[in-house]
Amino acid sequence: MIFTQKLEQAWAATGSLLTVGLDPDPQRFPAELSGRPDAIYEFCRAIVDVTAQYACAIKLQIAYFSSARAEDQLEDLCAYIQDQHPNLPIVLDAKRGDIGSTATHYATEAFERYGADAVTVNPYMGYDSIEPYLSWRSKGVIVLCRTSNTGGSDLQFVESAQGEPLYLRVARLVAERWNTSGQCALVVGATFPEELARVRAHVGNMPLLVPGIGAQGGDIPATVKAGLDSRGTGMLINSSRAILYASGGDDWREAAAAAARATRDAINTARSLVLGG
Amino acid sequence: MIFTQKLEQAWAATGSLLTVGLDPDPQRFPAELSGRPDAIYEFCRAIVDVTAQYACAIKLQIAYFSSARAEDQLEDLCAYIQDQHPNLPIVLDAKRGDIGSTATHYATEAFERYGADAVTVNPYMGYDSIEPYLSWRSKGVIVLCRTSNTGGSDLQFVESAQGEPLYLRVARLVAERWNTSGQCALVVGATFPEELARVRAHVGNMPLLVPGIGAQGGDIPATVKAGLDSRGTGMLINSSRAILYASGGDDWREAAAAAARATRDAINTARSLVLGG
């Protein structure tokens, strides 16, 4: 199924805009997984099982697998999600950015090796670094626009002679020129709601992946107000650490589920206020 | 040894500014490697062995290994180079770009898992996406500045209100603010010699990794003239496909060695003209 359709069905079926981000750090795993060679897989699998009902998508941060020599566990995890949670879109957060033939290899990694429904990419090298991903017609390509970190301003806030900040140029390029097939989405951080609103005003109902709530401090009501599309959806609001490590004790599964449910509910409360007002 | 020192020693010892880029594509491998499970490793190992004497560095494009599920072969290859060619700096071309803790995981992948001497990174997310790499004090961090592809202009050529194109702002940020410890270098494509000269004018003797000669069509004399530093070195001029696939026949090793030698010589002829003139 096409990524954007799968996402729309997930929004409708779950009533949730929450995306659960898997940044598996073995140093923060519960004691029961200590020393297990497949600890990363088992931890992530358990988190997915207990949070899937509260989430419109799952986001896998590949760096955590790469640093741990755990590509095999990432393969197994993706296969597990596709098998047990077939309606849950998988976003591979890889932030790749390279030219032509190399980009094709990265797309092959994301879409064929791991079977991800969408991958995050970096726009610095321009359209011909994005285009190869679009050949996989059913897949989503989520382009970095305004990132949630402080240093994001170093380049993304540079203004053109026309007074347009770079992140807004990226939003326009993607919306007006690069998104020829409806496969594109954007990353816009929750830590800058004003800029999120500016992006939304330029991109219609394009899906926005929004990191930065939870541990990074983004405000949920402001984020929801700034980012909802005309249908009252259009966002993948990501939370990672605040869900994954909600408890380090024996109740880690229940605590993660409760954190995911509470975040979904906080998002939906904010959504009701916006849509009702 | 510190990356920049290792590089300076390699420039001096080999008299070469050539970097051999390993983009191993099994579809282009010689027949004798067909069907071998370790074909990527064997191909790359042979190329390194026959070209190392003509090169100041080796560049490994990680996407080709990731798409082929060949991380183990990349590990073995890096270990082989460190063992058999200990003076040859290894650049991992990964173009990573992510924030804080995730960047630390990517740095761990590059510097500890693979033992690379330097890694390429993307500046779009700003300084706090670069800083984690700098904690590995002996390692090099090579920041994308002006890339060799056509689409590079989409963002890198955007001019600020002060008339400064984005790639030049990146060069200035790195030279004036981010490179606090002398670990940084820049990627500037050979396909734009005028811009290469502008970057060089801003960054002193900072090393420049220069892709784009060979298959991508960059002109060697123009590139050398534009990019040499005040010592007559300062460049890692990369050639990948034109060396790797110089012959698809039984003479592939000899052809690769001859192509590397000829490229080194063409660079040095151009260098003599610049330095003698």
Side-chain angles (χ1 to χ4, degrees), chain B residues 20-204:
Chain B
V20 175
L22 292 174
D23 299 4
D25 180 355
Q27 295 185 341
R28 302 184 71 176
F29 284 178
E32 67 182 88
L33 294 176
S34 178
R36 289 188 56 162
D38 60 347
I40 293 177
Y41 170 78
E42 287 298 339
F43 178 77
C44 292
R45 191 175 66 84
I47 295 287
V48 172
D49 283 343
V50 299
T51 62
Q53 64 181 303
Y54 308 119
C56 67
I58 203 91
K59 181 173 82 69
L60 307 173
Q61 174 47 262
I62 194 170
Y64 285 76
F65 295 85
S66 303
S67 66
R69 308 179 73 229
E71 284 84 8
D72 54 343
Q73 295 186 66
L74 180 56
E75 289 179 354
D76 291 346
L77 179 63
C78 290
Y80 179 83
I81 296 170
Q82 287 148 18
D83 188 53
Q84 295 295 314
H85 305 278
N87 299 321
L88 186 66
I90 299 174
V91 175
L92 187 70
D93 194 359
K95 300 187 177 69
R96 299 303 192 224
D98 213 311
I99 59 172
S101 53
T102 305
T104 299
H105 281 271
Y106 280 131
T108 301
E109 177 193 26
F111 299 145
E112 299 192 3
R113 179 177 185 183
Y114 296 118
D117 295 295
V119 65
T120 55
V121 298
N122 188 306
Y124 189 72
M125 296 182 74
Y127 179 62
D128 54 12
S129 72
I130 306 294
E131 188 183 22
Y133 296 88
L134 301 175
S135 302
W136 278 261
R137 288 292 178 186
S138 67
K139 302 298 186 179
V141 181
I142 308 176
V143 183
L144 294 185
C145 176
R146 178 65 173 126
T147 60
S148 59
N149 59 315
T150 312
S153 305
D154 286 338
L155 297 193
Q156 297 158 27
F157 237 46
V158 173
E159 289 198 355
S160 71
Q162 293 76 36
E164 180 180 56
L166 190 70
Y167 77 88
L168 216 52
R169 183 184 181 87
V170 170
R172 279 204 308 111
L173 279 172
V174 174
E176 297 170 13
R177 290 171 46 192
W178 299 359
N179 189 28
T180 51
S181 52
Q183 293 170 258
C184 292
L186 295 172
V187 175
V188 186
T191 40
F192 306 102
E194 193 177 315
E195 292 149 49
L196 177 56
R198 290 188 74 185
V199 170
R200 173 56 78 200
H202 278 79
V203 302

Side-chain angles (χ1 to χ4, degrees), chain A residues 45-59:
Chain A
R45 190 175 67 84
I47 295 287
V48 172
D49 282 343
V50 299
T51 63
Q53 65 181 303
Y54 308 120
C56 67
I58 202 90
K59 181 172 82 67

